[in-house]
Amino acid sequence: MAKLFGTNGVRGEVGQGMTAELALRLGMAVGTWLKPGDRVAVGRDARDSGPHLQAAFSSGLNATGVHTVDVGVLASPGIQLYVRDKRFAAGGIITASHNPAVYNGIKLVAPDGTETSQDEEAAVEAVYASGKFRLAVWDTVGKHAVDTGAAQHYLEAVLKQVDVRAIRNARLKVVLDPGGGAGCVTAPSLMNTLGVQVVPLSCTLDGAFRDRPSEPSQENAKRAMEAVRKSGAHLGILQDGDADRAIFVDEKGQFVWGDASLSLAILHELPRHTAGGKVPVVCTAVSSSSCVADAVKMAGGRLEWTVVGSPVVAREMLRHNAVFGGEDNGGLMFTRHQVCRDGLMAMAFMLELLAKTGKPFSELVAQVPRYALVKDKIHVPEARKQAILASLKPLIAKEAGVKSVDDRDGLKAYLANGWVLIRPSGTEPIYRIQAEAATPAAATAIIARFKPILERAAAH
Ligand code: MG
């Protein structure tokens, strides 16, 4: 059987890989893995395919004697917070995050609100594959309830993390573009409560993402960039489909890359945690820019690199007792709030930063250094991925100018003027190669030097 869980839960095309039958069986598998009488909170993003998959998944749980609470359409971090604070045994999120509307998926949440670990997913998958489900009899079938208060709970939790009065007094103006995704449920309310004047773009739930694709990429942000320039807003904010990420546009209408906003958050979050000479820990994936390392250093913290993928970053944050973590795609994790990517928390933090510093966003972003990143890839047979990695390792290590190699996820070689990261894709038959240096020309030169080495290793 093909592996069910990928990097971010179970995902597939609706009616093809992702069906009501799969959702039902996965619900029964999760229910069998849990105990009879356990409670599971289940919610979804805005996709049109969400309701029937959620109903099937919840039905599977109920069939095994597990109770479910439907929290409706809500940002993934809102569902995760609800699972943690209301002490559920687990959570289920029907979402395909930033993927197009033809996709949907199911993500599992642990009792502490983090995404379930690979070990837990493997345990559920084993039950799923066995087909041996613990079905309840008539009087032990799980009950299904609805709670319409989860969004408010989430909103209030985020508001507790920022200086509401300071933000209100700053009288900020923001272009808000949740892209018709789950962010529509809470982001406009947050702006309203914070006294922020909103120029709304796609603030109405749209299960087909008709206005723009749900990935908050530079290309998909053009409309928001234009709106910022026209309206004279202080900030533009975009979210992905399940609103666990937030991407920003500065007051000049310039796209702010995720690694820059990640570094900016580190620079201003860490001083909250340095009292008594403490050295706060930050976690980020090996694929993140060196500007993240620079920001951690500038703020007096210590950086722990991790394997790529937000569930792993979150687990490593817990292991290292980190105060902050994140990815370069707009996923920021504030431990004081919750250890998962949270788009609403990220935007509240940036609004507070604007209010308290009184500085334009472009000036704040300029506080952290910028590097040039160049990406490339080569196609490889799926079956040879690991063998290529093994043969590549000694070649990279002995290459002139390589100072050290980090092999926790692919191979990251540190050079005098930057670094190169070569790693197999988790979902496609390709190897990715990315290089970072001070200038695009220098980064391109690194790729030009290391790509042939990768190609040679792949050709054997
Ligand atoms: Mg997402």
Side-chain angles (χ1 to χ4, degrees), residues 75-141:
S76 291
I79 299 168
Q80 291 172 261
L81 188 81
Y82 185 79
V83 167
R84 185 193 75 182
D85 290 356
K86 306 294 180 183
R87 298 170 184 276
F88 281 86
I93 309 176
I94 314 298
T95 178
S97 184
H98 59 277
N99 288 148
V102 297
Y103 293 92
N104 212 334
I106 303 175
K107 254 165 65 162
L108 301 180
V109 181
D112 64 0
T114 61
E115 286 146 295
T116 44
S117 67
Q118 285 173 350
D119 289 349
E120 290 164 322
E121 287 177 350
V124 170
E125 195 159 332
V127 179
Y128 181 95
S130 77
K132 288 179 185 144
F133 306 125
R134 185 201 61 232
L135 295 183
V137 294
W138 72 276
D139 59 348
T140 55
V141 165

Side-chain angles (χ1 to χ4, degrees), residues 128-410:
Y128 181 95
S130 77
K132 288 179 185 144
F133 306 125
R134 185 201 61 232
L135 295 183
V137 294
W138 72 276
D139 59 348
T140 55
V141 165
K143 293 184 173 63
H144 183 69
V146 174
D147 186 348
T148 56
Q152 187 61 26
H153 174 78
Y154 176 43
L155 191 59
E156 284 168 14
V158 169
L159 287 167
K160 272 185 207 147
Q161 296 296 334
V162 291
D163 188 337
V164 173
R165 188 186 294 185
I167 301 173
R168 282 185 151 271
N169 289 343
R171 304 201 164 277
L172 298 168
K173 185 175 182 179
V174 161
V175 169
L176 181 65
D177 181 3
C184 296
V185 176
T186 42
S189 313
L190 179 83
M191 297 299 147
N192 192 28
T193 311
L194 293 173
V196 173
Q197 187 189 341
V198 172
V199 178
L201 296 177
S202 307
C203 282
T204 309
L205 288 171
D206 175 7
F209 306 123
R210 290 172 189 87
D211 290 353
R212 69 158 170 90
S214 73
E215 172 66 20
S217 63
Q218 186 178 28
E219 178 65 28
N220 298 336
K222 281 188 175 146
R223 191 178 50 139
M225 290 153 72
E226 177 75 23
V228 167
R229 279 190 287 265
K230 276 192 179 154
S231 65
H234 297 92
L235 190 67
I237 305 172
L238 294 101
Q239 291 196 277
D240 71 324
D242 68 329
D244 56 348
R245 297 187 277 135
I247 281 288
F248 302 93
V249 172
D250 72 18
E251 82 290 350
K252 294 175 183 168
Q254 299 176 121
F255 187 78
V256 177
W257 293 95
D259 53 7
S261 50
L262 171 61
S263 303
L264 181 61
I266 288 166
L267 205 55
H268 293 273
E269 173 67 9
L270 260 48
R272 300 174 68 113
H273 307 278
T274 50
K278 283 206 191 96
V279 179
V281 177
V282 172
C283 291
T284 196
V286 286
S287 52
S288 290
S289 168
S290 301
C291 69
V292 176
D294 292 343
V296 172
K297 201 172 171 188
M298 284 161 77
R302 180 163 63 83
L303 181 61
E304 292 285 349
W305 296 103
T306 75
V307 167
V308 176
S310 76
V312 189
V313 177
R315 302 253 143 231
E316 287 293 282
M317 284 172 68
L318 293 170
R319 194 166 75 85
H320 290 291
N321 211 4
V323 302
F324 186 86
E327 299 175 304
D328 58 7
N329 58 9
L332 309 184
M333 310 190 218
F334 298 81
T335 304
R336 62 184 160 102
H337 171 52
Q338 64 172 343
V339 185
C340 74
R341 298 190 295 202
D342 194 323
L344 199 69
M345 177 66 208
M347 64 177 82
F349 180 88
M350 294 303 178
L351 291 172
E352 184 186 49
L353 191 55
L354 282 176
K356 290 203 157 174
T357 61
K359 288 181 178 161
F361 202 67
S362 63
E363 202 176 304
L364 292 167
V365 171
Q367 290 171 344
V368 283
R370 293 291 298 145
Y371 296 91
L373 185 68
V374 175
K375 295 180 183 181
D376 206 340
K377 63 187 172 191
I378 70 161
H379 288 267
V380 296
E382 186 67 41
R384 291 215 57 234
K385 275 183 180 173
Q386 289 313 310
I388 293 169
L389 199 60
S391 61
L392 195 59
K393 199 173 167 181
L395 297 177
I396 297 291
K398 71 172 191 209
E399 181 67 16
V402 170
K403 295 200 290 184
S404 63
V405 178
D406 182 336
D407 63 355
R408 81 190 70 212
D409 190 352

Side-chain angles (χ1 to χ4, degrees), residues 30-41 61-62 64-69 87-90 111 134 140-143:
V30 173
T32 302
W33 174 66
L34 294 169
K35 293 192 299 294
D38 274 350
R39 296 158 61 243
V40 177
L61 287 162
N62 294 153
T64 59
V66 169
H67 305 304
T68 51
V69 175
R87 298 170 184 276
F88 281 86
R134 185 201 61 232
T140 55
V141 165
K143 293 184 173 63

